[in-house]
């Protein structure tokens, strides 16, 4: 994190009173209220996880830089994926005044997520540190802000191919609709990518034809294969976005449940589509909040 950039430009933010901040950040997923001197929040995520707790402010220290009046939540009722793991907390990166980049007045951030099997930690860089990367950003595409849902970073997904054959879906299938519904967002807090149901079904059918193996559903995973004893060549999957394409590695597409069960690490959605963190593993993912562009580069995030 660029400590010099953190120390600049946030004096006005420091003076913002908590109640005014609460009024400015009300949106569809955050509910907050104050009674006397206590403030509470309820916040939901794309994978149906939810956290409830106290909302407060404190001074955070980054190296030698202290930033006062940073708003944060202390959850006492955490449900969903939060109940399965024992994280110390979450860092909010959304397009919102309550998110950490906004509170620190930084215009860029980059993260690199390690594999779930890795012993290395993932990396988050902010400010000018996001400019000096060990791996150059090679692919860019616009960040789209949807006025109906301004919290999210939308990305324009034009199509998907399996072994070089495009899915029979329209280019508008994953675009934002006139009423603000639909579209695809990039979300590091949602585990598995969610695709609009008709797109998911088309994708699943293409994988079934390519794999030519017995398939079943398993828990939340709607498409799983029972692998044979011999090695199976997995199909090549490419996602096409505005101005770029991303060829996904096997770990971005599949999850091995053991016992020879291999599942598609994506699920169907009745609402908007979500580009989840499993699909971002071992990718540099950059957000430029000034020019409103995503940046991507394939790499090994261990030791990034």
């Amino acid at each position: 994190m660029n400590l010099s950039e953190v120390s600049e430009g946030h004096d006005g933010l420091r003076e913002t009173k908590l109640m005014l901040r609460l009024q400015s950040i009300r949106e569809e997923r955050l509910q907050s209220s104050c009674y006397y001197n206590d403030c509470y929040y309820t916040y939901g995520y794309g994978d149906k996880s939810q956290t409830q707790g106290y909302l407060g402010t404190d001074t955070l220290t980054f190296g030698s830089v202290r930033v006062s009046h940073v708003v944060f939540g202390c959850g006492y009722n955490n449900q969903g994926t939060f109940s399965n793991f024992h994280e110390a907390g979450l860092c909010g990166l959304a397009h919102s005044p309550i998110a950490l980049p906004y509170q620190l007045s930084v215009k860029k951030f980059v993260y690199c997520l390690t594999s779930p099997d890795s012993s290395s930690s993932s990396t988050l860089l902010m400010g000018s540190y996001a400019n000096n990367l060990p791996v150059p950003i090679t692919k860019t595409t616009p960040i789209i802000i949807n006025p109906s849902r301004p919290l999210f970073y939308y990305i324009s997904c034009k199509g998907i191919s399996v072994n070089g054959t495009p899915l029979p879906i329209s280019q508008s299938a994953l675009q934002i609709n006139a009423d603000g519904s639909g579209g695809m967002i990039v979300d590091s807090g949602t585990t598995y990518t969610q695709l609009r149901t008709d797109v998911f079904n088309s994708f699943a059918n293409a994988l079934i034809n390519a794999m030519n193996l017995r398939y079943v559903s398993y828990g939340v995973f709607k498409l799983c294969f029972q692998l044979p004893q011999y090695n199976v060549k997995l199909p090549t999957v490419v996602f096409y976005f505005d101005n770029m394409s991303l060829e996904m590695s096997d770990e971005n597409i599949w999850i091995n449940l053991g016992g020879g069960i291999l599942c598609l690490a994506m699920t169907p959605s009745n609402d908007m589509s979500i580009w989840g963190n499993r699909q971002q593993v071992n990718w540099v993912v950059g957000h430029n909040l000034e020019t409103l562009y995503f940046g991507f580069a394939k790499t090994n995030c261990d030791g990034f």
Side-chain angles (χ1 to χ4, degrees), residues 152-169:
F152 304 117
Y153 302 110
Y154 282 81
I155 189 170
S156 178
C157 184
K158 300 297 186 67
I160 309 168
S161 69
V162 175
N163 283 340
T165 301
L167 299 186
I169 59 174

Side-chain angles (χ1 to χ4, degrees), residues 125-139:
L125 302 174
M126 289 188 171
S128 65
Y129 278 91
N131 293 327
N132 303 309
L133 304 176
V135 177
I137 295 292
T138 56
K139 298 174 181 289

Side-chain angles (χ1 to χ4, degrees), residues 58 91 229 236 238:
D58 206 343
C91 172
Q229 296 297 320
T236 300
V238 179

Side-chain angles (χ1 to χ4, degrees), residues 9 16 36 77 95 101 115 118 127 168-169 184 193 226 228 240 257 291:
T16 304
Y36 298 100
N77 182 13
H95 185 253
S115 169
S118 173
I169 59 174
M184 174 181 281
T193 285
Q226 178 69 58
Y240 298 90
L257 301 184
T291 62

Side-chain angles (χ1 to χ4, degrees), residues 46-62:
D47 61 0
K48 311 306 180 186
S49 297
Q50 181 174 283
T51 175
Q52 295 176 307
Y54 295 105
L55 193 66
T57 62
D58 206 343
T59 297
L60 301 187
T61 302
F62 302 90

